[in-house]
Amino acid sequence: MGKIKNIRVGKSKAYYFKLVMYITLTIIVTIVILSSILYRDFKRLTSEQIYTYMHTSLHQLSKNVEQKIDAVKNISMQIYYDQYIQKFFFNFKPSTADIIDGSNQLENYRYISDIIHSIYVYNDSTKSFYVAAKEEVNLLESKDNFYDEAIHKLLDDYEKPFVPIPRNIPTFSMNTYQQGYDGYSFILCDPLGNEWNNSAIITNVSEATISNLIKETYRDNMKGSIWIIDHHGQLMVSTETRPMFTDVSKEKFYSSIRNSEAANGYLIDQVDGVKSYIVYSSPDSLGWQYISITPYQDIVKALNNRRNKVVSLSLFILAIGMMLAIFLSKRLYKPVKKMSANIESLESEVRSGYYTIKNETLRKIILDYNNFDGKVIQHIFDKYNIQFDLESHMMVVLFKIDQYRHFCNAYNMKDRNLMKFAIMNIASEVCSKECYTEPIDMGEDSICLLLSIKAQDFDPMITSFESLLKHIQAAILKNLALSVSITVSTIGESLQHVTFLYNQVVEASFHRLFYGPSCIIYSTTIEKLKAKEYKYPIQKEKQLIDALMLGNIENVKQKYFEIMDMISKFPYATVNMAFTHFVFNIKMAFDTIQKNKFPNLPMNINIGISLNDYEGIDDINHYFIKAFESLSEMIERHKCSRNHELVNKVMAIISQEYKNKNLSLAYIADAIDLTPNYLGRQYKNITSKTISNVIMETRIKKAEELLTSTHMSIAQISEQTGFTNDGYFYKVYKKVNGITPSEYRRNHGRLSKS
């Protein structure tokens, strides 16, 4: 019912919401497309600006490095032309004063610039090195004993002055070799080009000088690193992840840079597994190439933050705009809605009236075709545009809604009519692919579908007809959550047979009682049942009633199901008559049992019960089985009560008469007016003990009480407990307990202990 209400409410607002949604979706799509284009352009412009800024920074860093190298060059030239230090070049044996003056001057040059770590002056004539370093070293060292052994090869391979040579420069202090440092050596031989003079000035600069220069240049830059690579692909300065001298020529991003046609540019690639924004410049005069590597996330972080803010603001504005638009649209839509509702109501009344008159007219034709003339029927068909051939073959298909009572409780009258209209539409639409159809609401739970079948379509349709009907049932169940049973008539030669065919399917549809819900019943199958000779199963009914009187409920159930199975194989009218006869006889049996045995029987058979009150045989079976089981429970309770009463009577007699030597099964049976055999058998069935054993147990128990609580002799106790003599008492007691009465008294007697 809720589903139908939603459809009804939604229909009145469909156009309004469609209009609002279309406009809203158009605005959203437009905003998204424009925002995407603007964001893409903004991202591109931002990327270009970042590239320009970083490329400028790389160019500036290159200039700063060149300035540092020029500073080293100038200091080297000053050293070369210094008159005190020249004596280290040209004097084979400078005096002590010359050495002191020269060394002081060399230290002064080292102190002039903070970038110089050490200075070597090499005299080729004397094969000696004059050294000024930050560490404490000897001023004068022979070539053979000089701690920086690698400098010899550099001097031998010397080609061009002031080209930085990257290497690990060893240190020596306090007559001990120290761990070296990464740096650059600058060599200056005779600047005038005197071939006879192979002396040289070597200036050593720490790699930290360039690193500090990078940090100073990029002090305010985003997180990232600067790589300086020579033409061999070797790092000229350490980075956070790679030391100086690392070969990066095989790195993917560097290969892309070397293969690029542009001398300067940028690219986005993976570096150490991190997506990075890479800006590179053309190699400088030294052949060094400067590359800036920044995590791409840091580049776009600010951009993404701005984008998110803009998107959030846009969504907020859009939400406000949509709410305002909906509010204003509702205000504007009210008069339109009212007018639309009036027009729709008028159209609905016209359609409803047209449909009602058409349906009622067709229903009357189906119920009694003979009341109508053929020309009148044709006029009716023309009036309502019913394209039904009066002379063509036809069939009647009857749809009945299963669980109709539940259906009526779940839906009101208006909704029930809508649901039935939906069933008619589904059935008509599915069958219209095969033939012309006309659905009619026959009232209550019934819907009739008339099928007009042309001669050429007859055989193909009959072949696939059952699958067509199952398709209809599945569609109704899926879309309406309803189960329907279908009854199919035989083939009629023309519309003149419609009343006969309808009565045929109505009678056959009653067999849904045995077929169950969602069944498909063919009238041809039901018609065959009429040929069978009916004979009421009187013998099985008599066996059922006898079992009922005896309380054999399992046998009652068995005979009941056999009877119901037998009568179900006949036409419905016969089944109904047989069922009424069966109910009457069972009712009489229950009344007899209630009158003679159980006046308070909780459930009796309703004489007015009818097959028409039930849709399925399972419901009828449940009713009767419940009545049978109720009777069975009453019988069991009565039986237990009688058994308990019998046991109590026997125990009362034994408790009172145990002293009597004549007490026995026959004595007790005579006392309660039963035969000894019957009493003995019943008592044993109830208690699993014989009455003789119970009498003996009672006497032994009473004897033990006297043994422990009195000073009576064994003979006296034997007399008091019903034994014939004390010898027999001794024999029985020892057989039962394994000891004599005297031993029992010694072991348990309270009197003897006191």
Side-chain angles (χ1 to χ4, degrees), residues 24 112 146 196 216 220 231 246 275 302 308 318 423 459 486 521 523 557 568 593 697 701 713 741:
T24 303
I112 288 175
F146 190 45
W196 51 268
E216 183 178 347
D220 301 325
H231 61 281
T246 300
K275 185 179 181 181
N308 294 337
L318 180 62
I423 294 173
D459 291 335
I486 302 176
I521 305 171
S523 296
K557 292 180 183 179
S568 69
I593 293 171
E697 289 175 359
K701 185 176 180 182
S713 66

Side-chain angles (χ1 to χ4, degrees), residues 565-580:
D565 182 62
M566 290 178 67
I567 66 175
S568 69
K569 293 180 172 61
F570 292 93
Y572 184 77
T574 304
V575 172
N576 201 16
M577 180 184 66
F579 182 76
T580 303

Side-chain angles (χ1 to χ4, degrees), residues 186-314:
F186 297 85
I187 301 176
L188 173 64
C189 289
D190 185 6
L192 299 179
N194 297 319
E195 296 181 0
W196 51 268
N197 191 351
N198 290 327
S199 299
I201 298 174
I202 299 96
T203 307
N204 296 316
V205 177
S206 173
E207 178 263 348
T209 301
I210 306 299
S211 296
N212 293 334
L213 190 61
I214 292 172
K215 292 177 182 177
E216 183 178 347
T217 303
Y218 288 87
R219 182 170 48 204
D220 301 325
N221 191 19
M222 289 173 286
K223 181 181 178 182
S225 60
I226 302 297
W227 292 26
I228 302 177
I229 306 173
D230 67 2
H231 61 281
H232 296 298
Q234 192 176 55
L235 277 178
M236 293 292 98
V237 65
S238 299
T239 67
E240 292 182 359
T241 59
R242 287 173 173 77
M244 187 175 171
F245 311 121
T246 300
D247 183 7
V248 297
S249 60
K250 294 183 181 179
E251 293 283 345
K252 181 176 176 294
F253 79 91
Y254 185 65
S255 298
S256 300
I257 293 174
R258 297 185 69 172
N259 295 330
S260 175
E261 296 180 358
N264 305 290
Y266 71 93
L267 57 90
I268 299 173
D269 206 340
Q270 295 284 331
V271 178
D272 294 336
V274 179
K275 185 179 181 181
S276 302
Y277 185 83
I278 304 166
V279 178
Y280 59 92
S281 65
S282 58
D284 60 8
S285 58
L286 298 174
W288 290 4
Q289 189 168 25
Y290 294 78
I291 300 174
S292 173
I293 300 175
T294 307
Y296 188 75
Q297 186 62 32
D298 293 341
I299 294 290
V300 299
K301 184 176 181 180
L303 182 63
N304 289 338
N305 289 338
R306 182 173 297 181
R307 178 198 61 189
N308 294 337
K309 289 180 181 178
V310 171
V311 169
S312 300
L313 181 61
S314 300

Side-chain angles (χ1 to χ4, degrees), residues 99-230:
I99 292 174
I100 293 173
D101 292 338
S103 64
N104 290 335
Q105 194 68 5
L106 200 59
E107 285 290 339
N108 290 335
Y109 282 117
R110 191 182 65 80
Y111 281 115
I112 288 175
S113 176
D114 57 350
I115 66 174
I116 297 176
H117 185 275
S118 61
I119 302 172
Y120 306 158
V121 177
Y122 175 63
N123 189 320
D124 187 57
S125 300
T126 61
K127 307 298 181 184
S128 302
F129 284 94
Y130 297 88
V131 183
K134 288 185 178 181
E135 299 81 12
E136 185 177 350
V137 297
N138 296 326
L139 172 63
L140 180 61
E141 288 285 356
S142 66
K143 180 179 180 180
D144 294 335
N145 296 327
F146 190 45
Y147 64 86
D148 190 354
E149 297 178 357
I151 198 64
H152 305 322
K153 183 169 179 14
L154 296 180
L155 291 173
D156 293 338
D157 296 339
Y158 171 77
E159 293 180 358
K160 186 177 179 180
F162 302 117
V163 175
I165 303 171
R167 67 190 188 98
N168 184 268
I169 304 171
T171 58
F172 187 80
S173 177
M174 301 296 295
N175 297 322
T176 305
Y177 287 100
Q178 304 291 330
Q179 184 177 2
Y181 60 91
D182 294 334
Y184 316 93
S185 294
F186 297 85
I187 301 176
L188 173 64
C189 289
D190 185 6
L192 299 179
N194 297 319
E195 296 181 0
W196 51 268
N197 191 351
N198 290 327
S199 299
I201 298 174
I202 299 96
T203 307
N204 296 316
V205 177
S206 173
E207 178 263 348
T209 301
I210 306 299
S211 296
N212 293 334
L213 190 61
I214 292 172
K215 292 177 182 177
E216 183 178 347
T217 303
Y218 288 87
R219 182 170 48 204
D220 301 325
N221 191 19
M222 289 173 286
K223 181 181 178 182
S225 60
I226 302 297
W227 292 26
I228 302 177
I229 306 173
D230 67 2

